[in-house]
Amino acid sequence: MSNSSEFYSNFKNQILLSINTCMPCKVLSYNEDSRTAKIQPLFMVKEMNRAPEKLSVVNDVPVMFERVKIKNNTAISVSIPNSDHTQITFNEPVELEPSINAGDTVLVVFAQRSIDDAVEGNLVYPGASRLFDVHDAIIVGLL
């Protein structure tokens, strides 16, 4: 391989290694009211001639949740200990709250641009200062 080919190959690999797409993370704490967590990414980074280092802790990571509508207000059967009720009917959409605890391992995705203002549902022009950054993490589920 020529020196220029090797340079460009290494250059490409360095760029690709800087792009965060998704990774497992450990939940350090979870705020149920704001649906945000403090997480520790579990992948380490390593530079040439250096020991591997952990990524920094990420604060205020939003946790994905779901809002579902039970089709046609159909009754569903559930098992409720010590109760005579075995069917529940939902007339309104139901939010499925995340149940996350410190110590859980979660899968986190990283937005392609800054989510700082977009999480409020507003149109934003995020600029190009942050691309696939660990600070634009979103927890999508437990592992």
Side-chain angles (χ1 to χ4, degrees):
M1 183 181 283
S2 71
N3 285 344
S4 62
S5 294
E6 186 175 342
F7 169 80
Y8 286 111
S9 178
N10 288 336
F11 182 68
K12 176 190 74 167
N13 286 339
Q14 287 304 311
I15 291 171
L16 291 173
L17 287 170
S18 70
I19 298 172
N20 298 294
T21 54
C22 72
M23 76 173 76
C25 296
K26 183 76 65 179
V27 175
L28 302 178
S29 64
Y30 177 61
N31 181 326
E32 193 172 309
D33 293 333
S34 65
R35 290 187 185 128
T36 59
K38 178 192 279 189
I39 60 169
Q40 173 64 61
L42 294 178
F43 289 164
M44 298 176 80
V45 295
K46 183 181 181 324
E47 294 185 25
M48 285 182 58
N49 302 321
R50 291 189 167 181
E53 295 179 357
K54 66 182 181 177
L55 292 167
S56 60
V57 168
V58 184
N59 293 303
D60 301 319
V61 177
V63 178
M64 190 175 86
F65 70 99
E66 293 185 40
R67 182 178 298 127
V68 297
K69 184 175 178 181
I70 308 299
K71 184 179 175 183
N72 298 326
N73 298 328
T74 305
I76 59 172
S77 295
V78 294
S79 176
I80 303 173
N82 304 319
S83 175
D84 294 334
H85 297 90
T86 57
Q87 289 194 339
I88 299 175
T89 302
F90 296 97
N91 298 318
E92 301 285 329
V94 177
E95 288 187 1
L96 302 177
E97 294 281 334
S99 177
I100 294 178
N101 301 306
D104 285 345
T105 302
V106 293
L107 183 65
V108 174
V109 298
F110 302 95
Q112 66 185 23
R113 305 286 280 279
S114 170
I115 63 170
D116 289 342
D117 297 318
V119 294
E120 300 298 324
N122 299 320
L123 287 173
V124 296
Y125 179 73
S129 63
R130 287 200 329 232
L131 302 170
F132 299 99
D133 192 279
V134 295
H135 295 95
D136 296 309
I138 302 166
I139 297 173
V140 295
L142 294 171
L143 286 176

